Amino acid sequence: MPDLHSSASAIQELRKRFPQTPFLTLGQTALWDEPVKAAFCRILEVVAPDAVMMAAVHDTDYFAKLSHFEGEAQRREKFALLSHNDGDTRGLWSAAGEISCLFGSEIVPSRHLLTENGVEFDRVARDYPGGAEALLNAETNAWGWRALVQTSARSMIAGDVKLRDMGPSLVGQIEWAINLSLQIAWTNDNGVCEACAKMARENANQIFGWTRDYLNQDPDGTLSDFYRWLTPRLWAMVRGTGSCNLTTSTSLRLFKFNRETCQLPRFEFVDLFLNPATREIAARCYNDAVRGSGIYTLDQFGPGALPFDVVIPGHGRGTLHLQEGTLSIDTEPRRVLQTNCENVGQLAEILESNFGADVVLVGKAVSLISMLAKEFIFVFHEKASSYTPRTQKMNDALREAGLELDLHPMLRLKYATWDALSQTRAVFDLPPHLESAFGQKSLPAGEFAARWSDVCESQDALRADLKNCRSPRELLAFLSRSFGGAWTTRSEEFQAAHATISAMHEQTSTLKSEIESLRDEARRVTLQAAQIERTKGEDFRANLNPLRQRLFDIKEGQANRAGNVEMDAATGKPRKLSKDERETTRLQFERENQELAALREQIAACEHERQRFDAQISALRETARQKRALAKQKVREKLSIERSEEVAAARQTRRELRYEAELERLRRTRDALMTSEGLRYTNYRPTAWWFPLVSPDGKWLDQLVATAQLRVEEI
């Protein structure tokens, strides 16, 4: 980050370089941080009293909606007041309709963040009533933040939102935030400053009155009209008096694009993307700047897309596309014009001729700043506009390509919001996550100012310690050491349950080893029996089977020669043997009978010998059966021990305590995130109306002005 200038020197530098250039703030709601820039007005009036400040409502972006409300518009209010969590309202983004009570911010302790910090989310979700979605809805809400969200399917820009459609919801939202803030700031005033508490409530009633008065006097107006009307009043209330040379506007007015306005310097940047000589270079620089950021490159919008949107009154907003001979706008329905366009003058002529003089041409996020920086010096809070690094990258690339931009720098305001509470007399009734972080419910504002930074660091350390607990025992021991009380008892109960289960494991480990040994022995013996069966088969084929085959062959031959008759080979008919032939046959029978007797003896001997195989196989299979039976018996013994009432109770205790400890880790991690991240973020971007409610005597703002730091940042 560049070195910070002192408040005076930063303004003096800008006035010296750009003596006539007005300062500009651009915010989507008047109910958040923009009116805090009234603090800047105090400095500006001293250093450059002739300087002009414009506070504009950015009303050309879409108003927030959630897709799962679509199709229910007839059964619901047109606008719903929602909190933001990682469950049902996952993906919610709102700017024009958001509000935060004191200490509130849109820090969502999402599943990803919790898991990143060591929380075993899935383990908690298994036992959490209602499961993962219920857990996300109940435990991941951004504390102290609410948004108005349209429930219809039709998208609309913020400038088209009618107060008659959202009036009651808007009033309810403002009353929720301000009443909760009063409760935090003044419930515990204990007579510290009764006049301050009374003034705070009067200021709250003033804001309520303004809201109701405007809704009554202009029920057909828009939310943008209301914010613009409210802006100077809130700036004056924050500052305690009128605020510098303040003018107001809206982005619908600033970016109105027609034959008369197209030559304003704010539209010169558009020419880079229209002029055929620079169009390709400009598109490449834009794409290179946004690539990898999650922001669409131009080709993702479709062929010929430019980083600008056109707002057609009554027809919505759409990306501008320019191809050879065709100009189109992605509204619903899509507008396609057969025409050539090479500069802003031609574009203005085309748009005004087709859609009237109230058409708006506004840059997409990365281009918008460059458009307005031609005429204004943007005043940004620290941490405001996450797009500016991409804008700067794009502009640097354009300059390197030889294109002159001639843009004004921006001015960054850095506050020490919470340190500035040191002289404030409120006594805070802290919300639960801050109560846990600070260790007390009631806390004077001065003590809060002195401690908040250290508390944020301690919450970072707590998250790290919780993350480093790698087992339930470690986690419970840490909770016991850190927070004592019931967690000490729970830790002891877990240790006792763990000891019971460990003793059970020791008992059953011997049985387990015996079971495995018996099963291994049964498998080994079974394999031996199978090997002997194979050997038996081999012996049969090598020794017994040849004898049986020879026996069969002899007997078959004798059968064929029985009756002293043989078949005549020539005729194929039986014929009687001669005397000599009969004698030869008789002698052959005698020899064969002798061989048969010998074969029968050999076969008998072989079969007797082979009985040893059967005996061995039978013995081995019996041994295997016994081993398996004994193993089953020991399994029953092991299960009896494992399923005992004592062990079952220990397991249940351990499971419940593991869940409780992990849920506690989730909640403490969540609270630590909301504390450290929330306070650090709101330290730079506080909500404006907090100041007259918490410090109606103006001391908080006085200290904020005294400690504010300003720096010039080139665009």
Side-chain angles (χ1 to χ4, degrees):
M1 179 183 292
D3 291 336
L4 291 167
H5 296 259
S6 71
S7 298
S9 64
I11 296 173
Q12 288 166 349
E13 174 193 340
L14 290 172
R15 296 303 288 172
K16 183 177 180 181
R17 291 171 61 188
F18 314 104
Q20 303 303 317
T21 303
F23 293 92
L24 172 70
T25 74
L26 190 63
Q28 292 184 312
T29 172
L31 296 169
W32 187 25
D33 63 332
E34 288 301 311
V36 181
K37 291 168 186 173
F40 170 67
C41 278
R42 280 197 179 180
I43 304 168
L44 195 62
E45 286 171 351
V46 174
V47 180
D50 60 331
V52 174
M53 185 88 180
M54 177 182 285
V57 179
H58 187 33
D59 57 356
T60 48
D61 274 354
Y62 286 111
F63 198 83
K65 70 185 182 76
L66 276 180
S67 59
H68 60 261
F69 285 141
E70 294 181 6
E72 299 182 26
Q74 301 305 317
R75 290 175 288 160
R76 306 176 62 93
E77 295 292 332
K78 291 183 178 180
F79 291 86
L81 185 61
L82 301 177
S83 61
H84 191 184
N85 58 42
D86 201 28
D88 287 346
T89 54
R90 183 186 303 116
L92 172 63
W93 178 89
S94 178
E98 70 176 320
I99 200 166
S100 298
C101 73
L102 180 61
F103 301 129
S105 68
E106 195 187 9
I107 300 297
V108 177
S110 66
R111 178 176 185 162
H112 172 75
L113 269 178
L114 294 170
T115 302
E116 196 175 62
N117 280 272
V119 174
E120 295 185 29
F121 184 90
D122 290 339
R123 184 179 298 281
V124 180
R126 279 198 297 270
D127 290 328
Y128 194 88
E133 282 304 307
L135 175 59
L136 290 169
N137 286 329
E139 305 289 350
T140 66
N141 280 292
W143 188 89
W145 185 94
R146 294 288 187 276
L148 285 170
V149 177
Q150 67 175 106
T151 62
S152 65
R154 175 178 171 268
S155 296
M156 68 172 70
I157 62 170
D160 287 340
V161 174
K162 300 296 184 182
L163 289 173
R164 65 172 175 267
D165 294 329
M166 71 177 319
S169 298
L170 178 65
V171 170
Q173 181 196 40
I174 294 172
E175 289 181 346
W176 168 82
I178 290 180
N179 286 332
L180 184 52
S181 299
L182 287 172
Q183 180 180 328
I184 292 169
W186 296 108
T187 295
N188 294 318
D189 67 283
N190 297 322
V192 170
C193 183
E194 292 182 6
C196 293
K198 181 181 179 182
M199 289 172 61
R201 294 184 178 94
E202 288 173 353
N203 286 336
N205 288 330
Q206 179 71 76
I207 297 172
F208 296 153
W210 285 336
T211 305
R212 293 192 182 93
D213 288 348
Y214 192 87
L215 290 174
N216 289 332
Q217 73 185 35
D218 191 9
D220 293 325
T222 66
L223 179 64
S224 175
D225 294 333
F226 170 62
Y227 283 160
R228 187 182 181 193
W229 180 85
L230 188 62
T231 291
R233 290 162 175 78
L234 274 179
W235 283 56
M237 176 180 279
V238 170
R239 187 173 182 269
T241 183
S243 298
C244 55
N245 300 316
L246 183 68
T247 63
T248 63
S249 187
T250 67
S251 56
L252 280 172
R253 294 169 181 267
L254 286 171
F255 292 108
K256 183 177 289 189
F257 186 70
N258 52 42
R259 296 181 185 94
E260 182 180 346
T261 65
C262 68
Q263 298 307 317
L264 290 171
R266 69 196 67 167
F267 295 114
E268 287 180 17
F269 188 74
V270 182
D271 246 337
L272 297 176
F273 292 84
L274 297 177
N275 189 329
T278 58
R279 185 184 303 169
E280 186 176 337
I281 295 171
R284 185 181 70 249
C285 292
Y286 179 91
N287 288 335
D288 289 345
V290 303
R291 189 171 285 112
S293 68
I295 302 171
Y296 277 12
T297 54
L298 294 177
D299 57 289
Q300 290 177 285
F301 289 102
L306 304 180
F308 306 98
D309 285 355
V310 175
V311 181
I312 303 174
H315 298 283
R317 169 176 173 162
T319 299
L320 178 66
H321 296 254
L322 186 62
Q323 293 175 280
E324 191 65 34
T326 302
L327 185 149
S328 60
I329 305 166
D330 287 340
T331 51
E332 291 286 343
R334 195 165 191 258
R335 266 58 180 184
V336 180
L337 305 174
Q338 300 301 319
T339 182
N340 287 312
C341 179
E342 296 185 352
N343 56 59
V344 291
Q346 292 176 1
L347 181 62
E349 177 72 29
I350 294 166
L351 294 179
E352 184 173 351
S353 296
N354 284 275
F355 308 115
D358 291 331
V359 167
V360 171
L361 179 67
V362 60
K364 292 184 182 294
V366 172
S367 305
L368 181 143
I369 295 173
S370 296
M371 290 179 69
L372 288 175
K374 290 289 294 183
E375 291 184 52
F376 301 93
I377 296 172
F378 265 110
V379 180
F380 276 118
H381 289 141
E382 285 290 349
K383 306 298 182 183
S385 184
S386 59
Y387 300 116
T388 51
R390 300 289 170 178
T391 301
Q392 290 161 333
K393 184 177 180 179
M394 174 185 67
N395 292 344
D396 289 343
L398 289 168
R399 293 184 182 106
E400 288 175 9
L403 301 179
E404 183 57 48
L405 300 182
D406 191 26
L407 303 178
H408 296 95
M410 70 177 71
L411 185 66
R412 288 281 189 184
L413 309 181
K414 185 178 182 180
Y415 303 133
T417 299
W418 301 126
D419 292 335
L421 278 169
S422 58
Q423 304 301 314
T424 303
R425 302 174 70 181
V427 179
F428 298 135
D429 184 46
L430 296 178
H433 65 289
L434 294 181
E435 177 186 354
S436 174
F438 282 85
Q440 57 195 93
K441 179 66 173 171
S442 180
L443 188 70
E447 187 177 342
F448 184 95
R451 293 180 55 196
W452 80 271
S453 184
D454 290 340
V455 166
C456 286
E457 290 183 8
S458 73
Q459 292 301 290
D460 292 340
L462 174 61
R463 283 193 287 133
D465 289 341
L466 286 166
K467 183 177 180 178
N468 288 331
C469 294
R470 305 297 183 185
S471 70
R473 255 197 309 179
E474 286 183 29
L475 180 56
L476 278 157
F478 174 78
L479 294 173
S480 175
R481 289 193 308 273
S482 302
F483 308 110
W487 288 111
T488 299
T489 303
R490 289 187 176 94
S491 180
E492 291 169 353
E493 289 174 351
F494 188 90
Q495 294 284 12
H498 186 77
T500 298
I501 293 170
S502 296
M504 177 273 293
H505 283 311
E506 288 180 13
Q507 282 182 281
T508 58
S509 61
T510 301
L511 283 171
K512 184 177 179 181
S513 297
E514 291 176 358
I515 291 165
E516 290 302 316
S517 178
L518 287 167
R519 287 172 174 169
D520 288 343
E521 184 64 17
R523 283 190 291 269
R524 186 185 66 79
V525 171
T526 299
L527 289 174
Q528 281 184 333
Q531 181 59 47
I532 293 172
E533 285 181 330
R534 286 192 293 272
T535 302
K536 179 183 175 184
E538 291 168 0
D539 177 77
F540 173 81
R541 289 184 292 275
N543 298 314
L544 184 58
N545 195 52
L547 294 175
R548 287 183 172 177
Q549 187 62 47
R550 177 59 183 158
L551 184 69
F552 175 79
D553 291 344
I554 293 171
K555 292 174 74 175
E556 187 177 29
Q558 287 179 338
N560 289 337
R561 295 190 302 274
N564 293 320
V565 175
E566 70 174 12
M567 298 300 294
D568 189 315
T571 66
K573 296 179 179 181
R575 73 174 181 84
K576 281 200 172 276
L577 299 177
S578 67
K579 182 178 179 182
D580 290 340
E581 286 174 335
R582 288 196 297 272
E583 181 59 23
T584 299
T585 299
R586 184 186 65 76
L587 292 174
Q588 186 178 353
F589 264 90
E590 286 180 0
R591 288 192 305 271
E592 287 176 347
N593 286 338
Q594 288 174 1
E595 187 179 355
L596 286 172
L599 285 170
R600 289 188 179 98
E601 287 180 5
Q602 287 178 301
I603 289 170
C606 281
E607 288 179 339
H608 179 74
E609 179 65 22
R610 283 169 56 77
Q611 289 178 2
R612 65 184 174 83
F613 290 124
D614 294 333
Q616 290 175 337
I617 292 168
S618 177
L620 289 170
R621 292 201 180 281
E622 176 60 23
T623 298
R625 186 193 66 75
Q626 291 176 357
K627 298 289 185 184
R628 285 193 292 270
L630 186 55
K632 288 180 180 178
Q633 179 182 333
K634 291 189 177 294
V635 166
R636 288 192 291 272
E637 292 178 27
K638 178 173 172 290
L639 290 174
S640 177
I641 295 170
E642 290 173 341
R643 295 174 180 176
S644 67
E645 290 185 5
E646 181 184 13
V647 171
R651 280 203 177 97
Q652 180 66 17
T653 296
R654 191 173 67 169
R655 182 164 50 250
E656 290 174 355
L657 291 176
R658 187 173 192 172
Y659 164 71
E660 289 180 24
E662 199 59 47
L663 180 59
E664 184 71 8
R665 169 155 54 186
L666 182 151
R667 287 171 172 166
R668 289 193 178 275
T669 299
R670 173 201 63 194
D671 289 354
L673 280 167
M674 290 195 301
T675 296
S676 59
E677 299 302 315
L679 288 180
R680 285 169 179 148
Y681 187 75
T682 51
N683 185 55
Y684 290 131
R685 302 185 71 181
T687 293
W689 49 260
W690 292 353
F691 289 84
L693 263 63
V694 173
S695 179
D697 57 4
K699 290 184 178 179
W700 190 8
L701 187 74
D702 290 344
Q703 195 65 17
L704 188 81
V705 172
T707 56
Q709 295 177 300
L710 281 64
R711 64 180 174 86
V712 176
E713 182 177 318
E714 298 297 332
I715 300 176

